[in-house]
Amino acid sequence: MSKNPYQVIPATIYEIIEESPTIRTLRLRPERPIEFRTGQFVELTIPGIGEGPFTPSSSHYVKDVMDITIMKTGFVTEHVHKARVGDVVGLRGPYGTCYPLEKFKGRDVLIMGGGVGMAPTRSLFLTLLHDLDDYRSITFLAGARTPADMIYKYQIDEWRRIPKVKFLRSVDKVPEGESWDEEVCLVTKLLNKINIDPHDNPVVVCGPPVMMKFGTFDLLKYGYAPRDIYLSMEKKMYCGIGHCRHCVIGKYYACKDGPVFTYEVIKDEENIWE
Amino acid sequence: MIVSKSEIHAFFKRCQAEGLGGFQQVIVPRRSMVQPRDLFFTALNDKVEMVLESYRTVDPLRALFYFPRERILGGDVPKVKRLVVGAKACDLRGLQVLDKALINAEFVDPCYAAWRRNTTIVTVDCAEIGVSCHCNLVGGKPYAEEGFDLNLTALDVDYYHLSVGSAKGEELLALIQSATTITKASPEEKRLVSENRQAAVRKLQIQNAGLERGENYERLKKADIRIWIEEAQTCCGCGGCTNICPTCYCIILNDETTGKEFIKDKSWDSCQVNGYARVAGGATPRPKMFERFRNRYLCKFVNMPANFGLLGCTGCGRCIDVCAGKIKFTEVIKNVMEAKQVQETEHV
């Protein structure tokens, strides 16, 4: 008889990093390693509360621990933000599609991450860094609403020192009392600051729906082909295993056929940005 | 093969009373005490009068395999050995959809798979047609041709024609043979099977004349959105249609973990309610009622065929009977498919 697909692996929170007023990173040590490919997601259970789909923000080369960066935005995530070091959560997965790294080899890889959408793309970024020689260049465009909302600040200097890596950041606005000496604009406008040949090079987008939508349109204008635009779709991936149908996008399941889709595949489906 | 009705009815009762064949429960349709036209599945006992030859029950067969709420993690896998007698062809087609989604897929629903494994299904041809029955419009028949374990066709008031459809059916047949007298069907009796079946088909054709609409269901997707707004006018979004549908299997999960063990329950959900696809933060792809209404039709006629190669509608008509808004499912399909077509992009 096959294994119960809902069986979780208990994981202990060994560290919590407060990234912003609404975003924190749980550093988890599962009872046994959960192997995943960057871009795939896991279901995280807060015992007695509920479960949600999250994409790890750590490299898929790191096996025994896993980072998951989570924004406080709903019922389960509110409880994620109440969790403490030493608490045990449940993990199951990984599920869904990953970023096709083999197609990225030898190319200029562009990553666009907005808000907590920087989490899955950090996993990709760290995985790419592991095999840096395989890629021509990596450009990361990161956006947040305000400087306080920008996550992974403590790693930025280290990342900017890496050869072949370009890391640009922008915030939508700088509220009084906060300081910021980088760009102030929508993250999609950072495209004006870079010079990448869009022909036959991949771009990965993850962020809030409105950023995904207009980011995709801007990338098309920039010259990227729909087949080269990789989107991490946010849908209600309840079960993660194609049984609950909540994440269906037309004939696709976000949990099985995604969450990573090329724009080419889903552009004709309805309501993809909602 | 031919078997007498009284003998095989007595056999089913013995399965329940004496545990013949190791069956722990025998489930049959019985008449509602309030509305005799309506049939419901019930556990057989000596007070229950089984009604095998009528049309489908009010409750979908699916509900015997996919419970409204069930522990899916941290509980026992169901082990009850059951015999369901009197299932109908439309409901069997519904289970075929669930089988593709929940068993013959990358991941297996352990509860559904166990109920399927431990249950033997005896289908009985429809001798009557319900007022909302329309299996003939979706390529179905009022009798099962595949997917059953054992099938019974009433020949006349006294006898059934019996056929076997699976290994489980073979086992059951052996048991029936030990308890009843089974004879070989004569050519005349075989002709009667076909005649009785055709009579039921004709009833359906007469009942549903004028509702034929072809099979180009992409037209549902491309129809002018205004026709959907019009058709959905009396829909109150109660979700009755999805609860009673033989192919709907959407669930939500509840975490019931209390101590160290992780526990999860699954419960039916409905795409007709507003919160269905809402994500944390509040975004939902179908905030308006007519969008959710339309989604159900597209799921049944466009998405499920793309996912499983099967229509998500088996023509049972339950969604028509249950509808608080008196919406006629079959008429909606016809009206929308005949409505003006527009480019898909006009919707987004």
Side-chain angles (χ1 to χ4, degrees):
Chain A
M1 203 165 43
S2 57
K3 192 174 149 281
N4 189 327
Y6 292 101
Q7 190 61 54
V8 298
I9 297 173
T12 307
I13 303 172
Y14 71 91
E15 191 184 347
I16 293 171
I17 302 168
E18 303 295 348
E19 303 279 358
S20 85
T22 56
I23 299 173
R24 66 184 347 196
T25 298
L26 302 185
R27 313 204 72 190
L28 301 162
R29 184 170 285 115
E31 268 183 15
R32 53 180 191 278
I34 297 170
E35 296 222 2
F36 71 102
R37 303 287 299 168
T38 182
Q40 288 188 296
F41 69 97
V42 296
E43 293 279 349
L44 180 144
T45 299
I46 300 290
I49 299 298
E51 203 175 33
F54 301 99
T55 303
S57 49
S58 45
S59 160
H60 72 209
Y61 288 110
V62 178
K63 308 275 190 194
D64 52 341
V65 292
M66 181 184 277
D67 291 353
I68 305 183
T69 302
I70 297 171
M71 182 164 75
K72 179 159 56 173
T73 186
F75 179 70
V76 172
T77 53
E78 250 173 48
H79 285 84
V80 166
H81 278 251
K82 287 180 189 160
R84 288 186 235 171
V85 170
D87 286 357
V88 174
V89 298
L91 293 175
R92 60 184 176 92
Y95 300 122
T97 51
C98 55
Y99 298 116
L101 298 186
E102 66 288 356
K103 288 190 186 162
F104 294 4
K105 296 220 162 128
R107 313 240 183 258
D108 296 304
V109 183
L110 177 62
I111 300 170
M112 194 188 278
V116 78
M118 275 179 78
T121 46
R122 186 182 77 154
S123 169
L124 170 67
F125 181 68
L126 295 175
T127 305
L128 295 176
L129 290 186
H130 182 275
D131 305 311
L132 193 55
D133 292 345
D134 289 347
Y135 310 100
R136 201 152 51 208
S137 72
I138 303 169
T139 305
F140 201 129
L141 309 180
R145 267 176 310 187
T146 69
D149 294 317
M150 182 63 75
I151 60 177
Y152 309 135
K153 289 189 201 74
Y154 47 93
Q155 292 186 307
I156 188 72
D157 290 340
E158 175 197 334
W159 290 339
R160 280 181 168 155
R161 282 196 293 270
I162 301 167
K164 300 207 290 188
V165 169
K166 190 167 186 178
F167 208 111
L168 295 180
R169 300 192 300 178
S170 73
V171 295
D172 299 352
K173 58 178 185 229
V174 184
E176 228 172 289
E178 290 188 41
S179 64
W180 183 252
D181 52 13
E182 297 179 38
E183 302 297 332
V184 181
C185 62
L186 294 174
V187 61
T188 53
K189 299 300 164 215
L190 289 176
L191 280 174
N192 301 328
K193 309 274 174 193
I194 57 168
N195 188 18
I196 294 183
D197 177 8
H199 176 69
D200 221 15
N201 280 322
V203 53
V204 171
V205 189
C206 188
V210 66
M211 180 216 124
M212 301 268 282
K213 179 177 178 175
F214 293 104
T216 300
F217 295 164
D218 285 348
L219 288 163
L220 291 168
K221 262 186 254 160
Y222 190 88
Y224 278 96
R227 66 166 183 280
D228 291 325
I229 302 175
Y230 294 89
L231 304 166
S232 277
M233 297 306 292
E234 180 199 18
K235 291 284 161 192
K236 190 166 188 164
M237 295 177 283
Y238 227 131
C239 69
I241 58 176
H243 286 184
C244 81
R245 278 193 94 82
H246 285 71
C247 68
V248 162
I249 307 171
K251 60 178 181 279
Y252 300 109
Y253 296 82
C255 70
K256 285 202 308 188
D257 304 309
V260 179
F261 289 98
T262 61
Y263 182 59
E264 174 77 29
V265 167
I266 52 165
K267 65 180 166 37
D268 294 328
E269 300 299 337
E270 296 172 11
N271 301 321
I272 58 173
W273 307 116
E274 292 298 325
Chain B
M1 285 165 285
I2 305 296
V3 65
S4 105
K5 286 185 184 176
S6 58
E7 279 190 46
I8 201 164
H9 286 197
F11 168 80
F12 293 139
K13 284 178 185 158
R14 282 183 62 199
C15 287
Q16 177 66 51
E18 300 167 27
L20 224 55
F23 290 113
Q24 293 158 284
Q25 195 176 41
V26 179
I27 298 170
V28 296
R30 65 152 171 79
R31 289 204 186 282
S32 157
M33 281 173 263
V34 185
Q35 174 52 266
R37 202 183 64 186
D38 291 342
L39 302 163
F40 288 88
F41 281 118
T42 194
L44 185 60
N45 61 42
D46 44 2
K47 291 191 191 74
V48 168
E49 195 181 331
M50 58 182 115
V51 183
L52 302 186
E53 291 149 47
S54 190
Y55 48 90
R56 49 94 190 135
T57 48
V58 169
D59 40 347
L61 181 65
R62 158 181 77 99
L64 300 179
F65 296 84
Y66 202 63
F67 290 9
R69 187 176 176 109
E70 195 169 22
R71 186 136 295 180
I72 191 126
L73 178 68
D76 293 328
V77 176
K79 288 193 181 74
V80 184
K81 189 174 175 186
R82 304 182 304 174
L83 176 64
V84 176
V85 185
K88 299 298 171 185
C90 53
D91 267 347
L92 213 53
R93 281 180 78 186
L95 290 189
Q96 284 173 349
V97 172
L98 268 67
D99 288 351
K100 289 219 173 189
L102 306 172
I103 296 179
N104 302 317
E106 191 184 346
F107 298 98
V108 176
D109 179 317
C111 296
Y112 177 72
W115 285 120
R116 283 290 272 145
R117 202 168 45 240
N118 301 336
T119 306
T120 302
I121 300 177
V122 178
T123 44
V124 183
D125 291 6
C126 297
E128 297 165 29
I129 301 302
V131 289
S132 58
C133 287
H134 61 277
C135 60
N136 67 313
L137 299 180
V138 287
K141 303 226 166 69
Y143 50 88
E145 290 175 300
E146 55 172 358
F148 55 85
D149 296 315
L150 211 73
N151 185 71
L152 301 174
T153 308
L155 286 183
D156 49 34
V157 287
D158 293 322
Y159 290 96
Y160 285 123
H161 176 270
L162 182 156
S163 48
V164 173
S166 73
K168 267 195 263 181
E170 292 285 358
E171 265 177 51
L172 184 62
L173 175 65
L175 205 62
I176 294 170
Q177 274 170 327
S178 70
T180 67
T181 318
I182 289 187
T183 56
K184 205 163 170 271
S186 68
E188 168 67 10
E189 284 162 332
K190 283 184 183 163
R191 192 180 56 78
L192 213 50
V193 168
S194 152
E195 266 180 25
N196 290 352
R197 288 181 161 185
Q198 285 319 305
V201 171
R202 271 195 302 277
K203 281 187 212 168
L204 280 162
Q205 286 167 340
I206 292 164
Q207 171 161 302
N208 297 313
L211 289 168
E212 299 86 352
R213 68 281 170 127
E215 291 172 1
N216 184 10
Y217 294 117
E218 281 291 322
R219 291 184 69 87
L220 292 171
K221 201 171 177 184
K222 292 181 182 155
D224 187 328
I225 202 69
R226 282 169 295 193
I227 184 79
W228 285 109
I229 295 172
E230 202 175 301
E231 295 294 335
Q233 254 173 11
T234 59
C235 176
C236 61
C238 67
C241 51
T242 56
N243 274 350
I244 210 155
C245 178
T247 69
C248 276
Y249 62 90
C250 287
I251 45 159
I252 54 169
L253 296 166
N254 291 81
D255 197 84
E256 300 291 333
T257 301
T258 46
K260 284 188 171 175
E261 197 190 9
F262 283 90
I263 299 168
K264 255 182 237 311
D265 287 355
K266 63 170 182 179
S267 316
W268 291 354
D269 198 4
S270 172
C271 63
Q272 300 303 292
V273 300
N274 195 6
Y276 173 83
R278 186 174 57 217
V279 294
T284 175
R286 294 176 292 274
K288 298 199 180 85
M289 189 60 248
F290 77 85
E291 295 169 321
R292 299 193 291 278
F293 179 85
R294 175 176 177 265
N295 178 68
R296 186 168 69 94
Y297 290 78
L298 294 190
C299 181
K300 301 296 176 197
F301 290 97
V302 181
N303 298 347
M304 280 187 170
N307 296 148
F308 310 124
L310 296 170
L311 278 182
C313 175
T314 75
C316 72
R318 289 183 176 100
C319 55
I320 300 173
D321 297 348
V322 79
C323 186
K326 303 206 182 310
I327 294 164
K328 298 273 191 292
F329 184 77
T330 42
E331 288 174 15
V332 172
I333 298 164
K334 188 172 169 68
N335 293 345
V336 175
M337 281 175 71
E338 288 175 358
K340 195 177 98 174
Q341 301 277 294
V342 293
Q343 288 302 312
E344 266 175 79
T345 44
E346 290 178 37
H347 291 149
V348 289

